[in-house]
């Protein structure tokens, strides 16, 4: 679970195709160059690549894609319900809405369940939902807002995290889902130790979400 937290820390930037109506599992596989598939199991494909944000060192970006037998609104509702996050994402002690600005924007607080002796970490994030009625697609942009509420004593706040969900209809009761993330926050221990476990936990969270939606 401690390494899972690091998985959650490894934020996301998803570059979406210009025409979301063209989304398919095969086409989503080729959205961006430089991706290497690391895991293909239980209906989820997970990729990684290294990127070099301006002014910072290289960081690892992760992306998972899957087809889910449900509606676009089923996924949007579940991802919008912060109190349900622990039903599919492991390693969370607390997750709740701090402020609801509108149905398409809110702030959330997440406290990760990282065991001693590693430092505790939390995340304050802004969620922003964008809809496209033309092709029945939704993107949910997530970005850290580390100063939105005061820092808590003995807890390290994640300050540089970005994530994007992309959800697109693929026929009746079937959708394509892509989730990608990247963070410039420093790792808690060497990447050679943490990355394999983070990858597995990252992948398994999406598998859990798929099972929950199709259950």
């Amino acid at each position: 679970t401690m390494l899972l937290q690091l998985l959650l820390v490894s934020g996301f930037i998803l570059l979406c195709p210009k025409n979301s109506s063209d989304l398919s599992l095969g086409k989503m596989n080729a959205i961006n160059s430089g991706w290497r598939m690391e895991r293909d199991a239980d209906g989820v494909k997970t990729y990684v690549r290294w990127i070099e944000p301006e002014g910072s060192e290289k960081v690892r970006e992760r992306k998972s894609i899957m087809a889910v037998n449900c509606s676009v609104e089923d996924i949007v509702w579940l991802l919008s319900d912060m109190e349900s996050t622990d039903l599919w994402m492991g390693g969370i002690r607390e997750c709740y809405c701090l402020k609801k600005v509108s149905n398409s924007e809110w702030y959330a607080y997440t406290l990760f369940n990282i065991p001693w002796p590693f430092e505790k970490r939390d995340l304050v994030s802004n969620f922003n939902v964008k809809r496209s009625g033309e092709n029945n697609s939704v993107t949910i942009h997530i970005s850290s807002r580390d100063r939105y509420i005061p820092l808590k004593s003995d807890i390290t706040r994640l300050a540089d995290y970005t994530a994007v969900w992309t959800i697109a209809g693929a026929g009746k009761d079937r959708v394509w889902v892509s989730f990608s993330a990247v963070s410039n926050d420093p790792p808690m221990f060497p990447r050679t130790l943490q990355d394999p476990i983070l990858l597995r936990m990252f992948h398994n969270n999406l598998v859990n979400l798929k099972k929950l939606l199709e259950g």
Side-chain angles (χ1 to χ4, degrees):
T1 57
M2 172 267 299
L3 291 172
L4 166 60
Q5 325 316 328
L6 299 174
L7 141 69
L8 304 175
V9 171
S10 57
F12 303 52
I13 299 173
L14 173 64
L15 304 179
C16 304
K18 294 182 179 179
N19 185 354
S20 296
S21 63
D22 286 342
L23 286 173
S24 69
L25 196 58
K27 292 178 180 178
M28 290 173 79
N29 287 351
I31 286 175
N32 297 307
S33 61
W35 290 105
R36 183 180 71 251
M37 183 187 294
E38 292 289 342
R39 187 173 290 263
D40 181 1
D42 300 307
V44 178
K45 297 178 185 291
T46 297
Y47 301 79
V48 299
R49 70 174 179 177
W50 286 96
I51 61 173
E52 191 169 2
E54 185 176 354
S56 66
E57 297 181 357
K58 287 184 178 181
V59 293
R60 189 182 297 273
E61 182 181 9
R62 294 178 176 86
K63 175 176 67 174
S64 288
I65 61 175
M66 61 184 178
V68 184
N69 295 321
C70 67
S71 70
V72 170
E73 292 307 317
D74 286 339
I75 300 182
V76 173
W77 180 87
L78 186 57
L79 296 178
S80 302
D81 183 12
M82 298 294 95
E83 287 73 18
S84 295
T85 304
D86 62 355
L87 295 179
W88 58 273
M89 183 178 288
I92 292 178
R93 181 172 298 175
E94 299 177 14
C95 187
Y96 55 85
C97 181
L98 286 169
K99 180 181 179 180
K100 184 175 181 180
V101 179
S102 67
N103 289 333
S104 60
E105 183 183 6
W106 61 90
Y107 292 83
Y109 177 79
T110 304
L111 175 62
F112 300 112
N113 184 26
I114 305 177
W116 183 89
F118 297 95
E119 61 187 14
K120 295 180 181 178
R121 292 199 173 191
D122 66 1
L123 170 68
V124 177
S125 51
N126 173 262
F127 285 67
N128 202 294
V129 180
K130 303 290 185 182
R131 295 177 178 271
S132 175
E134 180 180 350
N135 45 38
N136 190 29
S137 65
V138 175
T139 57
I140 302 177
H141 297 264
I142 308 168
S143 57
S144 55
R145 296 289 190 272
D146 61 306
R147 300 294 175 175
Y148 186 73
I149 62 173
L151 299 176
K152 298 187 177 185
S153 60
D154 301 324
I155 299 178
T156 300
R157 179 152 302 160
L158 302 180
D160 193 349
Y161 170 90
T162 307
V164 177
W165 291 92
T166 296
I167 307 151
K172 184 178 180 181
D173 296 326
R174 188 170 176 82
V175 297
W176 297 115
V177 180
S178 178
F179 180 50
S180 177
V182 68
S183 173
N184 284 330
D185 287 283
M188 291 167 56
F189 51 92
R191 292 187 180 277
T192 54
L193 298 176
Q194 77 173 37
D195 281 354
I197 300 177
L198 294 183
L199 177 69
R200 183 176 71 246
M201 301 304 293
F202 183 93
H203 182 92
N204 288 345
N205 280 341
L206 273 291
V207 172
N208 293 338
L209 179 64
K210 178 179 171 68
K211 290 180 178 177
L212 185 61
L213 287 163
E214 295 182 338

